[in-house]
């Protein structure tokens, strides 16, 4: 079936046409031809085979999306079952409480393949750039690997003691806590967490103006953009050891991009979640991706 210039096969069709044009330019194989011409023809034919395989894969993907996700009613992933009021200076840890529990629609998830808590590292940074920034100390970087498929599998969470006294080292051998998130507004950004600090949090809609303890995350360097911007709230923040640091809850600064980002420690969230749901736990990892 032809999908025209606006179908999902259009980019692949153009690529296929370009390859066939290059192949036609080389002509059929003739005895005694230049070895480079033979090599180029073989390379183009291999790319044509790969393109045909890709077209089949894209067509199957499009078919599944059309059948199982086409209608708006088919795109409901779950519903909120519990959402405590927003509060600051909450519990013994005095962190901000701003979370909700969502029950997932099991019909939309295959439990056998669902990977659980991962951060997609996107394409803003190459694997080399990410590794150099996430693991600034040469010795640490040498022991680490870029996550397979760019999916950082989060296993466990950073405890209070390490938040206060990080064990990671930067390029100068100084203690630091490098973190990463993939937000709805700013995408993948790396930053530097400076431990737990006291901030005045303000929620105008809830008439809240009070001091709360938060993890402070600052831009990675003076050459990098802010760690977050409005719309990134709710993002999970991970560390270089593939652990959950916390959940992004806000920021402050002189512009729309924030100079400092507030992150509520996951250990504090875990305490509050377990208070409401005593038997809750992080999603078990069946096939962890290497860090």
């Amino acid at each position: 079936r032809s999908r025209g210039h606006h179908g999902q096969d259009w980019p692949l069709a153009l690529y296929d046409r370009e390859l066939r044009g290059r192949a036609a330019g080389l002509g059929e194989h003739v005895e005694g031809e230049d070895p480079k011409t033979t090599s180029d023809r073989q390379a183009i034919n291999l790319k044509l085979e790969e393109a045909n395989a890709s077209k089949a894969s894209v067509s199957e993907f499009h078919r599944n999306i059309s059948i199982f996700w086409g209608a708006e009613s088919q795109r409901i992933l779950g519903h909120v079952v519990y959402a405590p009021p927003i509060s600051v200076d909450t519990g013994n840890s005095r962190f901000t409480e701003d979370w909700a529990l969502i029950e997932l629609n099991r019909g939309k998830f295959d439990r056998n393949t669902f990977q659980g808590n991962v951060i997609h590292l996107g394409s803003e940074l190459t694997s080399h750039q990410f590794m150099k920034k996430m693991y600034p100390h040469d010795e640490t970087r040498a022991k680490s690997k870029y996550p397979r498929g760019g999916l950082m599998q989060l296993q466990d969470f950073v405890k209070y003691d390490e938040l206060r006294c990080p064990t990671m080292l930067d390029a100068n051998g100084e203690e630091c806590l490098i973190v990463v998130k993939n937000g709805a507004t700013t995408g993948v950004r790396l930053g530097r967490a400076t431990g737990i600090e006291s901030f005045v949090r303000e929620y105008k809609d809830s008439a809240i103006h009070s001091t709360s303890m938060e993890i402070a995350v600052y831009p990675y360097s003076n050459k990098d953009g802010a760690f977050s911007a409005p719309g990134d709230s709710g993002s999970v923040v991970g560390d270089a050891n593939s652990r959950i640091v916390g959940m992004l809850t806000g920021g402050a600064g002189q512009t729309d991009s924030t100079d400092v980002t507030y992150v509520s420690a996951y250990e504090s969230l875990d305490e509050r979640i377990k208070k409401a749901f005593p038997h809750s736990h992080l999603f078990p990892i069946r096939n962890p991706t290497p860090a």
Side-chain angles (χ1 to χ4, degrees), residues 181-206:
K181 68 99 182 75
N182 188 341
T185 300
T186 58
V188 176
R189 292 282 176 89
L190 276 69
R192 292 178 180 267
T194 60
I196 301 172
E197 301 182 19
S198 176
F199 292 96
V200 174
R201 300 303 308 275
E202 185 171 348
Y203 287 81
K204 294 181 180 178
D205 293 341
S206 303

mmCIF file of all heavy atoms in Angstrom, residues 181-206:
data_model
loop_
_atom_site.group_PDB
_atom_site.id
_atom_site.type_symbol
_atom_site.label_atom_id
_atom_site.label_comp_id
_atom_site.label_asym_id
_atom_site.label_seq_id
_atom_site.Cartn_x
_atom_site.Cartn_y
_atom_site.Cartn_z
ATOM 1 N N LYS A 181 19.273 13.851 34.811
ATOM 2 C CA LYS A 181 17.829 13.677 34.685
ATOM 3 C C LYS A 181 17.445 13.898 33.234
ATOM 4 O O LYS A 181 18.185 14.475 32.445
ATOM 5 C CB LYS A 181 17.080 14.658 35.600
ATOM 6 C CG LYS A 181 17.208 16.126 35.198
ATOM 7 C CD LYS A 181 15.994 16.578 34.424
ATOM 8 C CE LYS A 181 16.129 18.022 33.969
ATOM 9 N NZ LYS A 181 17.052 18.207 32.824
ATOM 10 N N ASN A 182 16.258 13.392 32.872
ATOM 11 C CA ASN A 182 15.697 13.645 31.545
ATOM 12 C C ASN A 182 14.336 14.282 31.768
ATOM 13 O O ASN A 182 13.361 13.605 32.086
ATOM 14 C CB ASN A 182 15.569 12.337 30.753
ATOM 15 C CG ASN A 182 15.180 12.583 29.298
ATOM 16 O OD1 ASN A 182 14.679 13.643 28.943
ATOM 17 N ND2 ASN A 182 15.436 11.595 28.451
ATOM 18 N N GLY A 183 14.274 15.604 31.642
ATOM 19 C CA GLY A 183 13.055 16.344 31.948
ATOM 20 C C GLY A 183 12.210 16.626 30.721
ATOM 21 O O GLY A 183 12.700 16.631 29.588
ATOM 22 N N ALA A 184 10.933 16.899 30.944
ATOM 23 C CA ALA A 184 10.001 17.162 29.852
ATOM 24 C C ALA A 184 10.358 18.435 29.093
ATOM 25 O O ALA A 184 10.081 18.556 27.901
ATOM 26 C CB ALA A 184 8.580 17.265 30.402
ATOM 27 N N THR A 185 10.988 19.409 29.772
ATOM 28 C CA THR A 185 11.317 20.688 29.139
ATOM 29 C C THR A 185 12.739 20.729 28.606
ATOM 30 O O THR A 185 12.973 21.056 27.445
ATOM 31 C CB THR A 185 11.112 21.853 30.126
ATOM 32 O OG1 THR A 185 9.753 21.881 30.546
ATOM 33 C CG2 THR A 185 11.457 23.189 29.471
ATOM 34 N N THR A 186 13.702 20.397 29.453
ATOM 35 C CA THR A 186 15.108 20.570 29.085
ATOM 36 C C THR A 186 15.786 19.293 28.627
ATOM 37 O O THR A 186 16.950 19.324 28.226
ATOM 38 C CB THR A 186 15.912 21.158 30.263
ATOM 39 O OG1 THR A 186 15.794 20.283 31.397
ATOM 40 C CG2 THR A 186 15.407 22.537 30.640
ATOM 41 N N GLY A 187 15.096 18.162 28.683
ATOM 42 C CA GLY A 187 15.709 16.922 28.234
ATOM 43 C C GLY A 187 16.791 16.440 29.186
ATOM 44 O O GLY A 187 16.702 16.629 30.399
ATOM 45 N N VAL A 188 17.834 15.856 28.618
ATOM 46 C CA VAL A 188 18.913 15.285 29.434
ATOM 47 C C VAL A 188 19.878 16.394 29.860
ATOM 48 O O VAL A 188 20.425 17.106 29.020
ATOM 49 C CB VAL A 188 19.678 14.196 28.661
ATOM 50 C CG1 VAL A 188 20.856 13.675 29.483
ATOM 51 C CG2 VAL A 188 18.737 13.051 28.308
ATOM 52 N N ARG A 189 20.054 16.537 31.152
ATOM 53 C CA ARG A 189 21.000 17.510 31.695
ATOM 54 C C ARG A 189 21.753 16.868 32.857
ATOM 55 O O ARG A 189 21.175 16.109 33.642
ATOM 56 C CB ARG A 189 20.282 18.760 32.211
ATOM 57 C CG ARG A 189 19.636 19.605 31.117
ATOM 58 C CD ARG A 189 20.655 20.459 30.365
ATOM 59 N NE ARG A 189 20.059 21.186 29.259
ATOM 60 C CZ ARG A 189 19.522 22.393 29.346
ATOM 61 N NH1 ARG A 189 19.473 23.006 30.535
ATOM 62 N NH2 ARG A 189 19.025 22.995 28.290
ATOM 63 N N LEU A 190 23.035 17.198 32.952
ATOM 64 C CA LEU A 190 23.848 16.779 34.085
ATOM 65 C C LEU A 190 24.039 17.972 35.008
ATOM 66 O O LEU A 190 24.053 19.130 34.561
ATOM 67 C CB LEU A 190 25.208 16.255 33.638
ATOM 68 C CG LEU A 190 25.270 14.785 33.198
ATOM 69 C CD1 LEU A 190 24.524 14.584 31.891
ATOM 70 C CD2 LEU A 190 26.711 14.309 33.065
ATOM 71 N N GLY A 191 24.167 17.718 36.286
ATOM 72 C CA GLY A 191 24.364 18.787 37.256
ATOM 73 C C GLY A 191 25.218 18.315 38.411
ATOM 74 O O GLY A 191 25.619 17.146 38.478
ATOM 75 N N ARG A 192 25.484 19.234 39.327
ATOM 76 C CA ARG A 192 26.282 18.933 40.512
ATOM 77 C C ARG A 192 25.429 19.161 41.764
ATOM 78 O O ARG A 192 24.965 20.262 42.006
ATOM 79 C CB ARG A 192 27.526 19.812 40.564
ATOM 80 C CG ARG A 192 28.535 19.508 39.463
ATOM 81 C CD ARG A 192 29.739 20.439 39.515
ATOM 82 N NE ARG A 192 30.697 20.131 38.465
ATOM 83 C CZ ARG A 192 31.735 19.309 38.601
ATOM 84 N NH1 ARG A 192 31.955 18.747 39.781
ATOM 85 N NH2 ARG A 192 32.550 19.072 37.600
ATOM 86 N N ALA A 193 25.227 18.084 42.504
ATOM 87 C CA ALA A 193 24.478 18.184 43.757
ATOM 88 C C ALA A 193 25.444 18.544 44.875
ATOM 89 O O ALA A 193 26.560 18.016 44.952
ATOM 90 C CB ALA A 193 23.782 16.860 44.062
ATOM 91 N N THR A 194 25.016 19.450 45.725
ATOM 92 C CA THR A 194 25.919 19.939 46.785
ATOM 93 C C THR A 194 25.494 19.469 48.166
ATOM 94 O O THR A 194 25.909 20.035 49.172
ATOM 95 C CB THR A 194 25.973 21.479 46.763
ATOM 96 O OG1 THR A 194 24.659 22.001 46.984
ATOM 97 C CG2 THR A 194 26.516 21.974 45.448
ATOM 98 N N GLY A 195 24.662 18.455 48.223
ATOM 99 C CA GLY A 195 24.214 17.963 49.529
ATOM 100 C C GLY A 195 22.868 18.531 49.906
ATOM 101 O O GLY A 195 22.158 19.118 49.092
ATOM 102 N N ILE A 196 22.505 18.369 51.154
ATOM 103 C CA ILE A 196 21.194 18.788 51.652
ATOM 104 C C ILE A 196 21.282 20.189 52.243
ATOM 105 O O ILE A 196 22.120 20.453 53.097
ATOM 106 C CB ILE A 196 20.677 17.794 52.712
ATOM 107 C CG1 ILE A 196 20.566 16.395 52.086
ATOM 108 C CG2 ILE A 196 19.331 18.239 53.260
ATOM 109 C CD1 ILE A 196 20.241 15.310 53.082
ATOM 110 N N GLU A 197 20.425 21.080 51.759
ATOM 111 C CA GLU A 197 20.427 22.460 52.228
ATOM 112 C C GLU A 197 19.011 22.878 52.620
ATOM 113 O O GLU A 197 18.033 22.216 52.271
ATOM 114 C CB GLU A 197 20.966 23.402 51.145
ATOM 115 C CG GLU A 197 22.388 23.082 50.699
ATOM 116 C CD GLU A 197 22.893 24.065 49.659
ATOM 117 O OE1 GLU A 197 22.315 25.165 49.555
ATOM 118 O OE2 GLU A 197 23.858 23.736 48.949
ATOM 119 N N SER A 198 18.915 23.986 53.323
ATOM 120 C CA SER A 198 17.631 24.515 53.750
ATOM 121 C C SER A 198 17.210 25.628 52.801
ATOM 122 O O SER A 198 17.982 26.547 52.525
ATOM 123 C CB SER A 198 17.730 25.058 55.181
ATOM 124 O OG SER A 198 16.521 25.650 55.577
ATOM 125 N N PHE A 199 15.990 25.533 52.265
ATOM 126 C CA PHE A 199 15.473 26.531 51.336
ATOM 127 C C PHE A 199 14.073 26.958 51.755
ATOM 128 O O PHE A 199 13.349 26.192 52.390
ATOM 129 C CB PHE A 199 15.395 25.978 49.906
ATOM 130 C CG PHE A 199 16.728 25.715 49.264
ATOM 131 C CD1 PHE A 199 17.281 24.445 49.285
ATOM 132 C CD2 PHE A 199 17.429 26.732 48.648
ATOM 133 C CE1 PHE A 199 18.503 24.191 48.700
ATOM 134 C CE2 PHE A 199 18.654 26.502 48.059
ATOM 135 C CZ PHE A 199 19.200 25.222 48.079
ATOM 136 N N VAL A 200 13.703 28.160 51.364
ATOM 137 C CA VAL A 200 12.330 28.616 51.543
ATOM 138 C C VAL A 200 11.558 28.203 50.306
ATOM 139 O O VAL A 200 11.868 28.620 49.196
ATOM 140 C CB VAL A 200 12.247 30.143 51.742
ATOM 141 C CG1 VAL A 200 10.782 30.581 51.770
ATOM 142 C CG2 VAL A 200 12.955 30.560 53.016
ATOM 143 N N ARG A 201 10.563 27.333 50.487
ATOM 144 C CA ARG A 201 9.735 26.855 49.377
ATOM 145 C C ARG A 201 8.412 27.613 49.382
ATOM 146 O O ARG A 201 7.820 27.841 50.425
ATOM 147 C CB ARG A 201 9.468 25.354 49.510
ATOM 148 C CG ARG A 201 10.716 24.484 49.521
ATOM 149 C CD ARG A 201 11.564 24.684 48.265
ATOM 150 N NE ARG A 201 10.795 24.531 47.046
ATOM 151 C CZ ARG A 201 10.558 23.362 46.453
ATOM 152 N NH1 ARG A 201 11.008 22.250 46.982
ATOM 153 N NH2 ARG A 201 9.874 23.299 45.336
ATOM 154 N N GLU A 202 7.957 27.972 48.196
ATOM 155 C CA GLU A 202 6.709 28.717 48.078
ATOM 156 C C GLU A 202 5.812 28.067 47.024
ATOM 157 O O GLU A 202 6.225 27.881 45.871
ATOM 158 C CB GLU A 202 6.982 30.170 47.686
ATOM 159 C CG GLU A 202 5.725 31.027 47.659
ATOM 160 C CD GLU A 202 6.052 32.503 47.482
ATOM 161 O OE1 GLU A 202 7.228 32.880 47.613
ATOM 162 O OE2 GLU A 202 5.115 33.266 47.210
ATOM 163 N N TYR A 203 4.617 27.662 47.452
ATOM 164 C CA TYR A 203 3.590 27.136 46.555
ATOM 165 C C TYR A 203 2.394 28.085 46.656
ATOM 166 O O TYR A 203 1.607 27.999 47.582
ATOM 167 C CB TYR A 203 3.167 25.718 46.962
ATOM 168 C CG TYR A 203 4.191 24.645 46.670
ATOM 169 C CD1 TYR A 203 5.268 24.427 47.528
ATOM 170 C CD2 TYR A 203 4.071 23.833 45.546
ATOM 171 C CE1 TYR A 203 6.198 23.443 47.268
ATOM 172 C CE2 TYR A 203 4.991 22.841 45.286
ATOM 173 C CZ TYR A 203 6.057 22.647 46.140
ATOM 174 O OH TYR A 203 6.982 21.668 45.892
ATOM 175 N N LYS A 204 2.276 28.996 45.693
ATOM 176 C CA LYS A 204 1.231 30.019 45.755
ATOM 177 C C LYS A 204 -0.168 29.413 45.727
ATOM 178 O O LYS A 204 -1.070 29.880 46.423
ATOM 179 C CB LYS A 204 1.410 31.001 44.599
ATOM 180 C CG LYS A 204 2.694 31.828 44.708
ATOM 181 C CD LYS A 204 2.828 32.802 43.558
ATOM 182 C CE LYS A 204 4.110 33.614 43.694
ATOM 183 N NZ LYS A 204 4.295 34.557 42.558
ATOM 184 N N ASP A 205 -0.360 28.366 44.918
ATOM 185 C CA ASP A 205 -1.688 27.759 44.811
ATOM 186 C C ASP A 205 -2.130 27.118 46.122
ATOM 187 O O ASP A 205 -3.324 27.005 46.402
ATOM 188 C CB ASP A 205 -1.714 26.704 43.700
ATOM 189 C CG ASP A 205 -1.533 27.321 42.325
ATOM 190 O OD1 ASP A 205 -1.748 28.540 42.210
ATOM 191 O OD2 ASP A 205 -1.178 26.584 41.387
ATOM 192 N N SER A 206 -1.153 26.688 46.925
ATOM 193 C CA SER A 206 -1.476 26.029 48.195
ATOM 194 C C SER A 206 -1.218 26.935 49.396
ATOM 195 O O SER A 206 -1.285 26.480 50.538
ATOM 196 C CB SER A 206 -0.648 24.742 48.333
ATOM 197 O OG SER A 206 -0.873 23.879 47.237
#
